[in-house]
Amino acid sequence: MWWRSASFILDNSRNPVNDDVPPDSITISPPPLTDSTAAAAPTLQIPNFNRNMSMSAYYQTRAAHHGVVTSDWLAQAQEAAAATGAVDGQEDGGGGTGGRAFSVIDEFNSWRKQPDLAEAVAAIRALAAVIRNSEANTMMELEIELKKASDSLKSWDTTSISLTAGCDLFMRYVTRTSALEYEEFNSAKCRLIERAEKFGEISCKARRIIAMLSQDFIFDGCTILVHGFSRVVLELLKTAAQNKKLFRVLCTEGRPDRTGLRLSNELAKLDVPVKLLIDSAVAYTMDEVDMVFVGADGVVESGGIINMMGTYQIALVAHSMNKPVYVAAESYKFARLYPLDQKDMSPALRPIDFGVPIPSKVEVETSARDYTPPQYLTLLFTDLGVLTPSVVSDELIQLYL
Amino acid sequence: MDARRGVRAVPKVRQVGFFTANPPPPSRSQSVPADSTSPPLSDSPASGNSLSPVMIPPPRHLSDNLSHLRSAAVPVPDSSSRRPIAGEHVTVVGSYNPPDSVLGEVVSPNFSEDNSEASTTLGWFGKSGSGKFTPGSSFPGGGFDLTTVKSEKFTAKDAKKNTGVPETSGGVAVEAQNDIPSSSKPTKAESKAKPTKAERRALQESQRAAKAAAKGEGNKSAVASGGATSGKPTKQSSQKKDDPLVVSSIVGADKKTGDRSVDKERKKDVPPPRMQFDDKNRVGKAKKRAMFNQTEARNRVELFRHLPQYEHGSQLPHLESKFFQLDSMHPAVYKVGLQYMSGYICGGNARCIAMLQSFQEAIKDYSTPTEKTLVRDLTAKISSYVSFLIECRPLSMSMGNAIRFLKSRIANLPLTLSESEAKAIICKDIDQFIYEKIILADKVIVGHAATKVRDGDVLLTYGSSCVVEMIMLHAHELGKQFRVVVVDSRPKLEGQTLLRRLVAKGLSCTYTHLNAVSYIMHEVTRVFLGASSVLSNGTVYSRVGTACVAMVAHAFRVPVLICCEAYKFHERVQLDSICSNELGDPEAIAKVPGRKDVNYLDDRANKENLQLLNLMYDATPSDYISMIVTDYGMIPPTSVPVIVREYRREHLLIG
């Protein structure tokens, strides 16, 4: 803040200390890390994934799925993969799954290669595989084993909200379902695995439910602004097109991974009139927009969403022009997080290709997503129904308390 | 839930409070009294005790006429005129009424005392804004206290009826009553015009008779029949023809009994509204029961007349001197009461823990009297303790919750237990409550909130909240680099104690007063505030000034975090700071200790056109709050009702 008052002189003496912490090694360095471990004690050099790889695993998967990959990105991804591989080995050595060849992370990685599978579903399938491979004899043992697996999974990619939420959800099911306690161990195990297998279906079904719920909100002749590529939003628009609704879609470009391009391709196949915008043209076109549809990486406890970079500013513009902002998200993306502001999350990083070399002195903001506070959102379409943002917390409390 | 804290009946509270809290300013509208000798007939119902023309006061005991008379007769605000009367009242009734004294006995001296009408009725409705209200349950006699509580309830209800609020549950009796007050009103006014000694005598007799009848009813009122209610109206009308004088009181008595059955049922789910201190009937009743020397507060601010007035300073030595007379009060409770009053114990958690521990002591020393069950008698005992503590200082909502918990635990004790077992169980429950709901809850809150402190943050706090202090110390122990801005305000300057402890632990602090909050807010990144209570619409009820800090923070887009244990959540909805609040010592804001040069108000404190308002709490609207940190995690203010619901369910499970 440039208007800092005199008492802030105190801060200046501290700043150099902070700057020393992240070594100035790569051109696309992460911004001065805000999470506590990095700046608190340089001596505590625990392998922090955010620092080792400049792209979060979540976005790697997405990039692979979308097939829009730059050469720069590939190199980064390989580097990151090497880094994570090393870490994997480390973790398995110390972790609970150590004795065996089975690794929950490998399992998870193999599941998430499937393009249509949501991250949370992959996580739950991976946990199901843990159960299947488990040699535990009691429910308690199994629970401990699962807990370890889900913890290692969560710490493997701290940036993915739906991975965390999926793990939490499944753990919650295992620990809190009272029906399991009265059952014989093997049948309880079977039931858990069955439940995990079903979860994929549930996730697909959730998308269909959301698509059906949202149809009432799409009227003939409306113009919809879409940001980012969200499978739910695509499903929703697809259903609307199938229902012979007449509408127009404006797609933002979605730099840097150009997710908007991909969505516009999909929509063009459905014969929906699409217009592509560059990300900075949102305010320019907002007055012809009737509603904004976005997906969500995660829905947090305040009712706000964490989504691809740019969602916040679109929501702000829409709010100032009194346009409704609708969020389509499955309920397994509800996470027990409560960011207070933009920097209050573990940052998910993503390299940005500017097409020209960037001087090493210039810092690049590589955060991949932002937080949209609930007051800028109109409604959330979830498989639990159409919710106002404040209901999210109620659902979460009921789920986790 | 003790009888007093009628928190759920909010509409009722508001209605009563606002009817009586909005009189036309007496000094202006009645600066030239029409006729100071005779009671004004025409305008008295409208202007007297701030009752609108539509709303006719309950005609039972002429108390409203009394106030008409008084406020109209004296050109200055009624406060000055009230003072001598109250003093007079004190001398007559005596300040110390043992809780088991019968109401009638206390009353009788008044009638012989003076022959002015005002003081005649004073015995029944000793008028004092400062009167503390003791719930009926402080009386050992079970049947008896019912009558008092009911009759107090009745006034509120009657008022509502007369304004045309449809009252469905009253049944036949209520319908009949709806028109009776209006018709009996003029007759009463006539009788007021020329009170002869004989008439007064008759009135007294009738009142006494009504009282006795009511008492009789009350004793057997556990299953007050609907038949009795339907019988009343006919009786009323017949009597009304006979004797216009007696009518008013008898009608009142009848209504009391008639309403009782209805009230009885309702009381089970809706607690009675909280005490309104401008409601003279109830204040008078309460005052007789109180063990305090009631003094009259001066120069009360219009909007806040319904609140108990501050009088602690003058009470303390008086109460201390009575230490050895109070046979019914346990010494531990007594001690805590005095500590509340002197301000030695303050802060929501400290007060709650002190109260619970004193109850624990009392329960340990408790033995069930013969022919009584532990469950009933102990509950009554606790209620009497609570009413004593309320006299010392109004309870906070968190303490209300704790008392509710304790009572539900006592009520749910199995009857088969022996006394010692039961006592042990309750003591254990209290310990558990203190540990789980306060100490452990604080730890959880600290853990949650510390995750929101980042390096380089500047945290602002207001006043002195022990949870916030723990959060800051914990974050400091975690090695986070942050600065603290402690904002403080007169007259309590609680922030200085916090500042002292923080500085001693090596945190870098900035200290400023509330006046500078808009300047300092530029550099703040997080605002941490404590709360006395969080209401179910997300409103935060906290130390006065909190709302101001939160508003400024909101304007600067600084996140405001409220740290509050879930046992302080309350299902009430409150929109402003007026309905329920606490008044502090007005002297504290008028005088600046240690500053001889600031003496501008020294000789003005007793002026009638100066009113000093020292509020203790205010309500922060939920818009200004980004997050509430509780033992259930971090929640948005919109989710408070969910927690309240869950919390109550948990209570039920335990209790």
Side-chain angles (χ1 to χ4, degrees), chain A residues 369-389:
Chain A
R369 58 193 181 195
D370 58 18
Y371 163 64
T372 310
Q375 61 263 35
Y376 303 114
L377 306 177
T378 314
L379 288 173
L380 295 151
F381 299 137
T382 72
D383 43 325
L384 306 171
V386 182
L387 313 176
T388 58

Side-chain angles (χ1 to χ4, degrees), chain A residues 5 7 338 343-344 393 398, chain B residues 452 519 523 626 639 645:
Chain A
S5 62
S7 66
Y338 202 135
K343 300 283 158 53
D344 198 12
S393 163
Q398 279 171 5
Chain B
K452 292 293 162 199
Y519 165 77
E523 57 187 74
S626 321
S639 291
R645 201 171 60 214

Side-chain angles (χ1 to χ4, degrees), chain A residues 21-251:
Chain A
V21 177
D24 224 46
S25 56
I26 36 172
T27 51
I28 308 164
S29 69
L33 284 182
T34 43
D35 55 325
S36 56
T37 51
T43 50
L44 279 171
Q45 281 295 345
I46 38 170
N48 189 328
F49 304 113
N50 295 336
R51 215 179 309 163
N52 286 347
M53 38 178 197
S54 47
M55 176 166 62
S56 74
Y58 181 68
Y59 285 96
Q60 280 176 46
T61 321
R62 294 200 60 145
H65 289 175
H66 300 169
V68 203
V69 182
T70 61
S71 57
D72 177 34
W73 186 312
L74 264 182
Q76 294 275 355
Q78 273 163 0
E79 190 188 313
T84 48
V87 173
D88 266 4
Q90 223 178 2
E91 277 215 348
D92 281 356
T97 52
R100 277 160 295 145
F102 173 76
S103 151
V104 65
I105 292 162
D106 291 345
E107 185 73 25
F108 173 65
N109 278 335
S110 70
W111 278 115
R112 76 192 176 116
K113 294 233 168 59
Q114 300 186 14
D116 232 15
L117 213 57
E119 191 111 331
V121 182
I124 287 172
R125 293 249 165 110
L127 289 178
V130 172
I131 299 178
R132 215 176 282 126
N133 287 308
S134 155
E135 289 156 4
N137 293 321
T138 61
M139 206 63 204
M140 202 63 207
E141 267 181 82
L142 187 66
E143 262 177 41
I144 293 168
E145 207 164 301
L146 267 179
K147 181 97 184 83
K148 272 181 188 156
S150 83
D151 282 350
S152 67
L153 207 55
K154 275 194 271 186
S155 62
W156 177 73
D157 183 6
T158 49
T159 54
S160 171
I161 295 160
S162 54
L163 167 63
T164 315
C167 286
D168 285 348
L169 208 62
F170 192 66
M171 286 310 294
R172 151 91 207 179
Y173 177 76
V174 173
T175 51
R176 301 284 179 92
T177 311
S178 54
L180 292 174
E181 288 177 15
Y182 303 108
E183 246 173 300
E184 197 247 327
F185 174 66
N186 277 326
S187 66
K189 204 168 146 181
C190 288
R191 185 199 271 258
L192 281 178
I193 293 170
E194 189 188 331
R195 169 87 187 180
E197 300 293 331
K198 258 201 211 154
F199 203 83
E201 284 170 43
I202 294 172
S203 128
C204 292
K205 206 168 136 201
R207 276 180 216 159
R208 275 198 302 280
I209 292 171
I210 293 166
M212 293 313 294
L213 282 174
S214 59
Q215 293 310 304
D216 293 340
F217 292 82
I218 299 173
F219 51 91
D220 276 342
C222 68
T223 306
I224 302 172
L225 179 76
V226 180
H227 182 66
F229 182 89
S230 155
R231 280 172 287 213
V232 196
V233 172
L234 180 61
E235 175 87 26
L236 184 158
L237 295 174
K238 218 185 253 175
T239 314
Q242 281 160 2
N243 288 350
K244 305 268 186 290
K245 301 244 181 185
L246 300 172
F247 60 97
R248 196 159 69 107
V249 178
L250 303 182
C251 279

